[in-house]
Amino acid sequence: MYMFEVEGRRPLRGTVRASGAKNAVLPIMAAAVMAGSPCVLHNSPDLSDVRTMSKILEGLGATVERTSDGSLVIDPTTIDSHVVDEMLMRQVRSSIFLMGPLLARMGKVQVSYPGGCDIGQRPIDLHIKGLKALGASVEEKHGHIIAERLRWEGIDIHLDIPSVGATENIMMGACLADGVTIIRNAAKEPEIVDLQTFLNAMGAKVRGAGTDVIRIEGVEKLHGAEHTIMPDRIEVGTLMIGAVITGGEVTVENAVAEHVQALTSKLREIGAEVHFNGHGITVRGKGRPRATDVKTLPYPGFPTDMQPQIMALLSIADGTSVITETIFDSRFKQAEELGRMGAKIRREGRTAIIKGVPALSGAMVEATDLRSGASLVLAGLSAEGKTVVRGIHNIDRGYERFEEKLESLGASVKRVSDNRR
Ligand code: UD1
C-alpha cells in the first residue's frame, strides 16, 4: 500500500501530455472480444483498471500484450470461456461491458456484480433490459448473472436514463445481431464516439454516436482492427484545475477542447484564463477564484467525474458556491476529507454548499474513490504545508503516472509506502 505526500503552495508550470482515456479503452477492450483476428489499441493508458481488464480477457483465453510504445495487442481468437473471474470482476466495474460482446460471440456469459468506485448506487438494470431485448435469457443464481442467447435480433430501444455503460453494452452486442438496432435517448459522451470508431474499424456498421439516437446495422462477423484511444478528458480537466488551484500555468497537450467545454466555461467564469491552440489547452490561474454554482449533467453538461475536483477548487474561492450532483447519489465523499483540510462544506442530499476559505491547510486524508482521490491531491497542491493522501490505489485506477506528471510541472508529490495499512 502506498500514499502520496504532497507539499503544497507550488504553482504548476509547464507542459504535460494527456494519456489515453480510461473510459474509452475499457469498453474498447471488451469490444475486441468479438474480433476474428488480433486488435491493436494505441495510446492505451497503463492503469490498474486496464491491467485488471487485461487479466479478465486472459482468463477468458485471450492473449493481451503491452508494447513498449503504450499499445495493447489483444488476440481474442483463442477465447474459449464465457465465465468472467469473480474476484477480478469485483475490481473493475467495466467488466460488465463484457456481457454484450460475450453474448454476441460465445452465446453465453457468466458475470457477478461489478465493483469499481463506491459512489453510490450503480444499478445495471438498463444493461440487462437491453440484452434481454436483443434476445438473451438472464437469470441470477448464487450472486452470479448467467445470460444465454436465445435469439439475437435488432431492437428499437429507448433508455430511461442516458446511461453510458448501457449504451455501450447494447451497441456492442447489437453489432452481431440480425437486423437493425436503434438506441434512443442514448448517452452522448465522447467515449461512445471512440467506441463507434473502433467498432466500425472492426467491420461493424454503427452511426449516430455522439447524438441521442444510435443506429447499428448487424453484420455477420467482425475482424481485428487498429485504433488510437482518445485523450482522457477527465485527466485533462484535472490538470486544468491543477493550474488554477495553484495559480500556475499549464499546457495540456493532446487535449480536445470540445471535450472540456463545460469545465472551460466554469473556469473562465471564476476568473481563470483558458486558451486553445492546435496542440492543446493552456490554463492560467489568476489570483483567488470567484465562487460559482455547478450542476453535474450527462455530456455535454458538467461531468460528474469532474465534480470532486471542482469542489476542491471552489473550497478556496471568494464567496459561496453550490454544487448539485444529479448523476450519482453518494458522490460527496471528498467533502468530509476536504473539511479536514479546513474547507467549509455543508451537504444537503445531492447539494453541497461551499463557503470558500482563503487557503486550505495540509492534513492526512483518505482517497475513498478515484475522483475524490484526485480532488484531495489537488487540494494538497494548493494547501499550506504537507498533505498525506492515503488509499491511492483508487487514484492509480484512473490516472497514469499521476505523481510523475505533477512533479514534471513543479509539484512535490511523493509516493511513499503506507506502513500503517
Ligand atoms: C460511466 C463512466 C463513469 C462516469 C459515468 C457518468 C465508464 C467506464 N465510466 O459510468 O466514469 O461517472 O459514466 O458519466 O465509462 N443507471 C441505472 N441503470 C443502469 C445503468 C445506469 O439506473 O443500468 C444510472 C446510474 O445509477 C447513474 C446514471 O444511470 O445514476 C448514469 O450512469 P452511467 O452513465 O451508466 O454510468 P457508468 O456507465 O456506470
Side-chain angles (χ1 to χ4, degrees):
M1 283 292 185
Y2 290 92
M3 57 191 193
F4 282 147
E5 283 182 357
V6 186
E7 292 288 346
R9 300 255 123 189
R10 298 183 184 207
L12 298 189
R13 286 192 201 288
T15 300
V16 67
R17 191 174 168 79
S19 295
K22 163 179 107 58
N23 287 353
V25 73
L26 292 170
I28 285 175
M29 289 174 79
V33 160
M34 298 188 289
S37 48
C39 296
V40 184
L41 308 178
H42 301 295
N43 200 33
S44 292
D46 190 11
L47 303 168
S48 64
D49 266 13
V50 173
R51 289 192 287 271
T52 306
M53 193 68 166
S54 300
K55 282 192 205 148
I56 290 177
L57 296 187
E58 285 168 349
L60 297 171
T63 57
V64 185
E65 261 177 59
R66 173 171 284 281
T67 65
S68 54
D69 64 350
S71 303
L72 279 183
V73 183
I74 302 174
D75 183 354
T77 54
T78 43
I79 288 181
D80 56 4
S81 168
H82 65 280
V83 181
V84 178
D85 184 276
E86 190 174 348
M87 289 312 287
L88 295 174
M89 179 106 196
R90 283 181 198 283
Q91 288 173 34
V92 48
R93 182 177 165 80
S94 302
S95 45
I96 201 70
F97 295 137
L98 282 161
M99 284 194 85
L102 277 177
L103 274 168
R105 177 188 164 135
M106 307 287 286
K108 47 190 176 176
V109 59
Q110 180 180 317
V111 297
S112 40
Y113 277 95
C117 271
D118 178 15
I119 52 176
Q121 253 207 330
R122 293 183 81 171
I124 53 168
D125 55 308
L126 297 172
H127 299 241
I128 304 279
K129 194 170 153 189
L131 299 174
K132 274 188 175 169
L134 279 166
S137 69
V138 182
E139 59 168 340
E140 268 182 66
K141 242 192 224 167
H142 314 301
H144 297 299
I145 306 168
I146 301 164
E148 207 158 329
R149 195 175 67 201
L150 304 177
R151 326 174 302 283
W152 208 238
E153 288 161 6
I155 50 170
D156 192 326
I157 189 166
H158 183 280
L159 298 180
D160 299 333
I161 301 171
S163 153
V164 177
T167 301
E168 292 172 331
N169 224 338
I170 300 167
M171 202 169 140
M172 292 188 279
C175 286
L176 290 173
D178 290 332
V180 172
T181 293
I182 312 246
I183 309 173
R184 299 179 197 278
N185 196 29
K188 296 185 282 200
E189 270 66 3
E191 292 76 11
I192 297 172
V193 180
D194 211 36
L195 176 60
Q196 169 178 278
T197 307
F198 177 63
L199 290 168
N200 288 343
M202 289 166 82
K205 291 186 175 165
V206 186
R207 57 176 214 243
T211 76
D212 54 10
V213 181
I214 300 178
R215 184 182 189 279
I216 306 117
E217 197 183 320
V219 296
E220 235 163 62
K221 54 182 189 212
L222 298 170
H223 51 75
E226 209 168 322
H227 177 75
T228 300
I229 302 295
M230 61 174 269
D232 194 313
R233 63 193 168 99
I234 307 301
E235 186 201 23
V236 172
T238 304
L239 294 165
M240 289 168 75
I241 291 186
V244 183
I245 206 168
T246 61
E249 179 169 340
V250 172
T251 298
V252 189
E253 286 179 341
N254 191 33
V256 180
E258 192 190 335
H259 292 173
V260 289
Q261 258 170 359
L263 174 65
T264 297
S265 86
K266 278 294 154 195
L267 293 183
R268 285 184 175 147
E269 203 179 305
I270 66 180
E273 271 180 24
V274 184
H275 300 287
F276 303 116
N277 62 36
H279 306 292
I281 300 176
T282 300
V283 184
R284 180 142 74 101
K286 284 170 66 191
R288 193 174 173 196
R290 290 190 286 271
T292 188
D293 295 341
V294 174
K295 186 176 189 176
T296 63
L297 286 169
Y299 190 83
F302 192 93
T304 175
D305 285 354
M306 285 303 307
Q307 179 266 107
Q309 299 89 316
I310 202 150
M311 182 182 278
L313 177 59
L314 295 178
S315 66
I316 57 159
D318 187 7
T320 299
S321 307
V322 177
I323 296 183
T324 309
E325 171 59 59
T326 75
I327 309 291
F328 292 111
D329 55 11
S330 173
R331 207 171 193 179
F332 287 145
K333 296 215 164 120
Q334 71 284 357
E336 200 176 314
E337 301 301 303
L338 289 171
R340 293 179 201 278
M341 300 176 70
K344 300 261 173 286
I345 303 169
R346 189 159 50 85
R347 284 183 282 172
E348 283 176 14
R350 288 183 167 225
T351 301
I353 298 127
I354 304 139
K355 198 161 171 280
V357 294
L360 297 173
S361 47
M364 184 177 281
V365 289
E366 178 86 28
T368 54
D369 64 76
L370 167 58
R371 305 305 170 185
S372 76
S375 124
L376 297 173
V377 172
L378 290 174
L381 293 176
S382 86
E384 279 161 8
K386 184 162 94 179
T387 297
V388 175
V389 183
R390 305 178 75 192
I392 62 169
H393 58 280
N394 280 309
I395 299 175
D396 292 334
R397 289 188 39 224
Y399 289 90
E400 187 180 45
R401 299 182 292 108
F402 196 37
E403 74 275 28
E404 275 177 47
K405 288 192 183 187
L406 293 172
E407 290 230 332
S408 77
L409 296 171
S412 170
V413 182
K414 304 281 179 246
R415 180 181 291 258
V416 296
S417 54
D418 186 349
N419 298 323
R420 275 159 294 191
R421 290 268 179 201

